[in-house]
Amino acid sequence: MQPASIPTLTPHPTPGYYLRPRPQGFAAHINASPQNLGAVRALARDELLGHGIAGDAVDSAQLVLSELVGNSVRACGPHVPLVVEVYVTSYGIAVNVHDPDPGVLPTRRATALDSAEAESGRGLGLVGLVGLLAPGWQVRRSAIGKQVRCRVPAEPGWG
């Protein structure tokens, strides 16, 4: 019996960006930067559209991805090493972001999202509001540090 094939990391032309294909999606190992975030957003769009996900759900997944990466950068600093996973499941789209600091856990703020005082910190509120983009999120401590997991509802597109 041959050992199971393990997907290898594929270097990207952009420094600090490695891609691991996975069934129905990918895991990107990145150092947070505007260039790498743009590359992951573009990859997520192409991958999700390729799996027949409708455009509105793809846009929502991209927004969730950007907000989670932004929250990790605010918590851990610029160029933080992250693992970003995006893949299609039976319930929609999974968007997971791992960062190295298990002690800095995201929290929802009491400030209303539409308040003038809410200059930042809206991202997690947007992700967590029931029925807005992702009907719930979880934070788990992991071997990497912590993982924020979101599920974006989606149905196959009419492609």
Side-chain angles (χ1 to χ4, degrees):
M1 192 183 235
Q2 292 184 338
S5 172
I6 298 174
T8 58
L9 290 176
T10 304
H12 189 270
T14 305
Y17 181 111
Y18 297 89
L19 181 63
R20 176 171 288 176
R22 61 177 294 170
Q24 308 294 326
F26 65 88
H29 299 247
I30 67 170
N31 289 331
S33 71
Q35 297 84 0
N36 287 342
L37 176 57
V40 170
R41 282 178 50 89
L43 177 60
R45 180 169 197 75
D46 292 345
E47 188 75 25
L48 295 172
L49 289 172
H51 285 289
I53 301 297
D56 288 348
V58 172
D59 293 342
S60 293
Q62 285 183 299
L63 179 57
V64 168
L65 186 155
S66 295
E67 292 297 340
L68 293 181
V69 168
N71 286 335
S72 289
V73 169
R74 281 186 290 282
C76 301
H79 305 290
V80 60
L82 303 173
V83 177
V84 178
E85 297 176 290
V86 178
Y87 52 96
V88 178
T89 69
S90 60
Y91 50 78
I93 305 163
V95 179
N96 305 331
V97 174
H98 306 255
D99 72 45
D101 192 345
V104 180
L105 300 177
T107 58
R108 290 188 178 116
R109 296 183 182 180
T111 305
L113 294 177
D114 59 354
S115 167
E117 295 175 16
E119 293 177 12
S120 67
R122 288 186 176 122
L124 198 55
L126 287 173
V127 169
L129 286 176
V130 173
L132 187 54
L133 296 179
W137 51 274
Q138 299 176 324
V139 180
R140 293 182 172 174
R141 285 189 166 85
S142 70
I144 295 171
K146 72 175 168 288
Q147 176 190 55
V148 180
R149 302 168 52 108
C150 291
R151 303 295 176 253
V152 177
E155 293 183 18
W158 295 101

